[in-house]
Amino acid sequence: VLDRAFYQCEQLETVKLPDGLKTIGWSAFVGCKRLRFFNFPASCEAISFFTSRSCTSLKEVTLPPLLKKIDNDAFGQCISLTVMNLPQSLEEIGNRSFKWRSPLIAMYFPNLIQHIGQDAFVGCHSLISAELPSIVQVADRAFFHCRTLELRQQ
C-alpha cells in the first residue's frame, strides 16, 4: 500500500489487503474515522509511520505473525482500540505508537521484543497491566500517564 493511499478517507469502513503484501506505507490510513477493524495480511513485516493514526472508530487490529516492527505513531489517537495481540515475532514498538487515550487494558509483550519507544503508550489511562521480558529496553516516558499500570517482568 502506497504512502497516504487512503489518507482521510472518512467513509472507509473495511479494508481487505492482499496476501503477499510486505509493507503498509506512511500515513496510508490516517484519519479513516469509520474504519473499525483492520486485518493485516500474514505476509506484512512492517507497519510504517502514522499507518492508522486518528482512526477514531478502530476497535480491533489483527497483526501479522511475521511482524517485526510497529513504527512511530502507527496507532496514535485510535481512541476506540481495545483489542490487539502482539505477535511473537515483534522486536520493536516505535515512539508514540499508541499515544493518547487508547482504551487498551492489558498488553503482553513477546519474548523477542527489544525496544519500546519514547512515549509509546503515553496517556493510555485504561492500561492496567503489562508484562515485559527482562531484556527489553524501555525508552523515556514510554508509559507516562498510565496511572493505574502495573508492570511485570516475565
Side-chain angles (χ1 to χ4, degrees), residues 58-61 75 78-84 98 102-104:
L58 189 62
K59 293 181 182 288
E60 184 174 339
V61 173
F75 299 99
C78 292
I79 60 174
S80 300
L81 186 61
T82 55
V83 178
M84 178 177 286
F98 298 94
S102 169
L104 291 166

Side-chain angles (χ1 to χ4, degrees), residues 109-123:
F109 296 93
N111 289 331
L112 293 178
I113 192 93
Q114 296 171 14
H115 181 75
I116 298 174
Q118 183 173 320
D119 296 327
F121 293 91
V122 71

Side-chain angles (χ1 to χ4, degrees), residues 23-49:
T23 61
I24 308 291
W26 183 83
S27 295
F29 295 94
V30 167
C32 296
K33 294 182 178 184
R34 291 190 184 204
L35 185 62
R36 294 183 48 189
F37 304 99
F38 202 115
N39 292 316
F40 288 91
S43 55
C44 188
E45 296 175 358
I47 298 174
S48 299
F49 293 104

Side-chain angles (χ1 to χ4, degrees), residues 8 20 23 31 48 52 58 66-67 84 87 92 108-109 111 123 138 141:
Q8 300 289 338
T23 61
S48 299
S52 299
L58 189 62
L66 301 176
L67 184 69
M84 178 177 286
E92 182 177 351
Y108 175 80
F109 296 93
N111 289 331
V138 179
R141 300 184 317 270

Side-chain angles (χ1 to χ4, degrees), residues 92-142:
E92 182 177 351
I93 296 175
N95 300 338
R96 301 170 305 280
S97 292
F98 298 94
K99 182 179 180 180
W100 296 117
R101 297 190 309 266
S102 169
L104 291 166
I105 294 170
M107 292 297 290
Y108 175 80
F109 296 93
N111 289 331
L112 293 178
I113 192 93
Q114 296 171 14
H115 181 75
I116 298 174
Q118 183 173 320
D119 296 327
F121 293 91
V122 71
C124 294
H125 302 297
S126 299
L127 190 61
I128 58 173
S129 175
E131 192 168 325
L132 299 166
S134 58
I135 60 167
V136 69
Q137 176 190 7
V138 179
D140 290 342
R141 300 184 317 270

